[in-house]
Amino acid sequence: MRQTSTAASRVRRWIGSLSSRLLVLTLFFVMVAEILIYVPSIARFRVTYLEDRIATAQLASLALTANADGPLTPKLEQDLLDQAEIFAIVLKRAESRVLILGENVLVPDGVSATFDLRDRSVVGSVADAFVTMVSPNRTIRVIGQAIDDPATLIDVVIAEQPLRTEMFTFSRRVLGLSLLISVFTGALVFLALHVLIVRPLRHLTQDMTDFRKDPEGAPMAAPPGGRGDEIGIAQREFAAMQDDLRNALRQKGRLAELGTAVSKISHDLRNILATAQLVSDRLSESADPEVRRTTPVLLQAIDRAIWLCTQTLQVGRIREQKPQRTAFPLREIVDDVGVALGLDDRRPPLWLNQIPSNLLVSADREQLFRVFMNLGRNAMEALSGRSDAVIAITAATLGESVVIEFADNGPGIPEDAHETLFRPFAGTTKSSGTGLGLAIAKDLLEGHGGSLTLHRSDATGTTFRMDLPAKVIGIAVDRIDRQQTG
């Protein structure tokens, strides 16, 4: 019983499958093609039959004209008509009309229709053929030209039933041949489509189903062959997607583990930094002028580190906190980053802060500091060992936004790394890097409604462009060239 149910289930699945649909459609289209061939063929068959009757009538009339002993006997005349399957024959020459045969023959049931073979169209011939097939036992009149004398017309009266019988015989032969061709062609097309399309799609679908159920544990899809068609492209793209998704899942798993570890470290580090903060507060009371000068920078750095640890513990998720906007001079943030990185404009790498001092923006001060810090660290690593290293930061306004350019004269970023430059763990060009710096900077600027893009990178250096749509206060600087920012 279970085997019967399983077999029935397989049959139902096959009936609803792509293979069965392809087979049915193939048979249907082949039959349609055969019908399109049959329609003009049956019309031509009918016309040929009638032309044969005209030719036979002409031969019968020649028997009369060639008889030197006088008119034919009624018996001989009837034999000629029966042989030709004709009731009567009339010859027309110029203005004359001569009844050659059939004078004493009674035409049964009169004449139902007249057909002139000199005046026929394709559509008319097709219509006449189907009328013949549905109209039994008619007597028709046919007019045609003599074979050797176009000026002579032959007018015959014949029974249409023999023609109708021949047409049905012809149709049965065509139908049988069409069915044979349809089955044979359908089988070949079905096998070809099954091998080239259905079977690869079935394997691809099964791979997708397995991957959906268990993205990390499902076996990798079979390596695609060398097919260059759409199926081959789909196979290769799925294999690449499967590999990319698994890598992304592994990265997300590592990020989750990293997030847990960072939270624990941040908790302990915050306590350690709190102790360092207390010690730094005592250093600020030192009588040494140099200590008193550098202590504020140290305190500021520790405060930022404690704040960042606190944010890490509070957030507990990937997204950054919403920007807490305040108005401040943009130049001051860049100066603070230079001090934190130990850079200035006196020794390489030169830190050239070319932002106007009166350019004030409304943004999150700490987040913008992190943006410049990440860009600055990347630039320092790219310029390592160069005696002519320069990092230049410029800014100007464009409409309601501030456009900032962060440029260095390093060796540039490889072109194959441009596409993944801002992706975590994928954008780094160094074996020891994580690729998080640019990703963090981009996220922070997008949190402000702005953007971070790679404007230029070649052998002469790299330039990043920041678009900060912040409310700008008290600006007295030149507008940046629109063509340069386009």
Side-chain angles (χ1 to χ4, degrees):
M1 186 66 179
R2 179 176 295 178
Q3 292 180 349
T4 304
S5 176
T6 303
S9 177
R10 289 179 180 176
V11 170
R12 285 194 299 270
R13 284 200 302 269
W14 188 86
I15 291 176
S17 67
L18 180 61
S19 300
S20 63
R21 295 177 184 179
L22 287 175
L23 181 59
V24 172
L25 286 175
T26 301
L27 294 176
F28 173 74
F29 289 138
V30 172
M31 290 302 298
V32 169
E34 292 294 337
I35 290 173
L36 294 177
I37 295 173
Y38 166 76
V39 169
S41 298
I42 194 66
R44 182 59 191 167
F45 180 86
R46 175 181 173 277
V47 171
T48 301
Y49 181 92
L50 296 179
E51 289 175 345
D52 289 344
R53 297 283 73 76
I54 293 293
T56 303
Q58 184 179 2
L59 291 176
S61 65
L62 290 176
L64 175 61
T65 56
N67 184 21
D69 298 332
L72 298 175
T73 63
K75 183 179 184 309
L76 182 57
E77 180 179 339
Q78 186 62 45
D79 290 341
L80 286 173
L81 291 173
D82 291 343
Q83 185 68 27
E85 297 180 346
I86 296 172
F87 294 130
I89 303 173
V90 175
L91 295 182
K92 297 178 182 179
R93 293 189 182 94
E95 299 300 328
S96 65
R97 176 186 175 91
V98 180
L99 179 63
I100 301 299
L101 293 173
E103 183 176 1
N104 299 319
V105 177
L106 178 63
V107 177
D109 300 330
V111 176
S112 301
T114 300
F115 302 101
D116 191 340
L117 299 182
R118 298 170 299 167
D119 182 22
R120 64 178 187 269
S121 63
V122 175
V123 176
S125 298
V126 170
D128 292 340
F130 284 100
V131 170
T132 297
M133 296 184 71
V134 299
S135 304
N137 302 321
R138 290 198 309 175
T139 300
I140 61 174
R141 177 186 173 195
V142 183
I143 302 172
Q145 294 175 328
I147 298 175
D148 55 351
D149 185 8
T152 300
L153 297 180
I154 301 177
D155 189 341
V156 300
V157 178
I158 64 173
E160 195 179 37
Q161 186 59 34
L163 169 61
R164 186 168 177 269
T165 302
E166 292 287 340
M167 291 175 67
F168 274 111
T169 302
F170 174 79
S171 299
R172 285 192 293 271
R173 290 199 302 267
V174 171
L175 177 61
L177 183 61
S178 299
L179 289 175
L180 181 62
I181 293 175
S182 297
V183 173
F184 181 72
T185 304
L188 290 180
V189 173
F190 171 77
L191 290 175
L193 292 177
H194 183 77
V195 172
L196 295 176
I197 298 178
V198 176
R199 189 165 62 184
L201 281 179
R202 185 176 297 163
H203 292 324
L204 185 60
T205 303
Q206 186 60 47
D207 290 337
M208 289 181 178
T209 303
D210 294 341
F211 185 72
R212 178 183 61 82
K213 292 179 179 178
D214 187 6
E216 296 183 84
M220 291 294 291
R227 295 180 59 166
D229 56 9
E230 288 80 0
I231 298 294
I233 294 173
Q235 291 174 331
R236 286 190 290 274
E237 290 299 321
F238 175 70
M241 182 197 70
Q242 194 177 24
D243 188 57
D244 291 343
L245 284 176
R246 285 190 168 168
N247 289 334
L249 289 173
R250 284 194 291 267
Q251 286 186 2
K252 288 184 181 296
R254 290 198 297 268
L255 283 174
E257 295 173 358
L258 178 62
T260 303
V262 167
S263 296
K264 295 177 180 179
I265 294 172
S266 296
H267 179 272
D268 295 337
L269 182 60
R270 183 180 59 172
N271 296 332
I272 296 172
L273 290 173
T275 303
Q277 189 178 36
L278 293 175
V279 175
S280 299
D281 288 338
R282 295 179 181 178
L283 288 176
S284 63
E285 301 173 357
S286 173
D288 190 333
E290 184 64 21
V291 173
R292 294 174 64 88
R293 185 182 69 82
T294 57
T295 297
V297 177
L298 177 60
L299 286 172
Q300 192 175 30
I302 294 175
D303 288 340
R304 285 198 176 99
I306 294 175
W307 176 84
L308 187 57
C309 291
T310 303
Q311 291 296 309
T312 302
L313 291 171
Q314 288 179 351
V315 174
R317 58 184 183 270
I318 297 175
R319 294 185 179 275
E320 296 285 347
Q321 291 283 359
K322 291 183 178 180
Q324 304 298 317
R325 293 179 180 268
T326 58
F328 57 88
L330 183 61
R331 183 182 179 90
E332 288 184 4
I333 287 290
V334 177
D335 283 338
D336 290 346
V337 172
V339 173
L341 293 174
L343 302 178
D344 53 40
D345 57 358
R346 296 188 299 273
R347 59 185 182 278
L350 300 180
W351 183 262
L352 302 182
N353 185 357
Q354 299 174 343
I355 298 176
S357 58
N358 59 347
L359 177 57
L360 275 66
V361 296
S362 177
D364 189 305
R365 189 183 188 101
E366 295 302 325
Q367 290 189 6
L368 210 56
F369 179 90
R370 292 170 61 191
V371 170
F372 285 107
M373 177 67 77
N374 285 324
L375 292 174
R377 288 189 185 280
N378 286 351
M380 287 179 63
E381 292 176 359
L383 295 168
S384 177
R386 296 191 57 154
S387 59
D388 60 345
V390 176
I391 302 173
I393 303 93
T394 60
T397 59
L398 180 63
E400 296 297 323
S401 300
V402 176
V403 177
I404 308 165
E405 291 191 352
F406 195 102
D408 64 62
N409 62 341
I413 299 172
E415 188 174 353
D416 57 358
H418 289 185
E419 186 176 350
T420 60
L421 195 59
F422 298 100
R423 287 170 51 186
F425 301 102
T428 180
T429 59
K430 304 178 295 296
S431 59
S432 60
T434 63
L436 286 172
L438 289 176
I440 292 172
K442 182 177 177 66
D443 288 343
L444 292 174
L445 284 173
E446 288 179 349
H448 282 76
S451 63
L452 174 64
T453 56
L454 178 63
H455 177 59
R456 177 187 63 84
S457 185
D458 52 35
T460 62
T462 299
T463 301
F464 286 95
R465 175 165 292 178
M466 292 170 271
D467 187 351
L468 185 64
K471 183 178 179 181
V472 185
I473 307 170
I475 303 170
V477 295
D478 294 334
R479 299 280 174 169
I480 194 167
D481 186 8
R482 289 181 179 272
Q483 183 177 3
Q484 182 182 359
T485 60

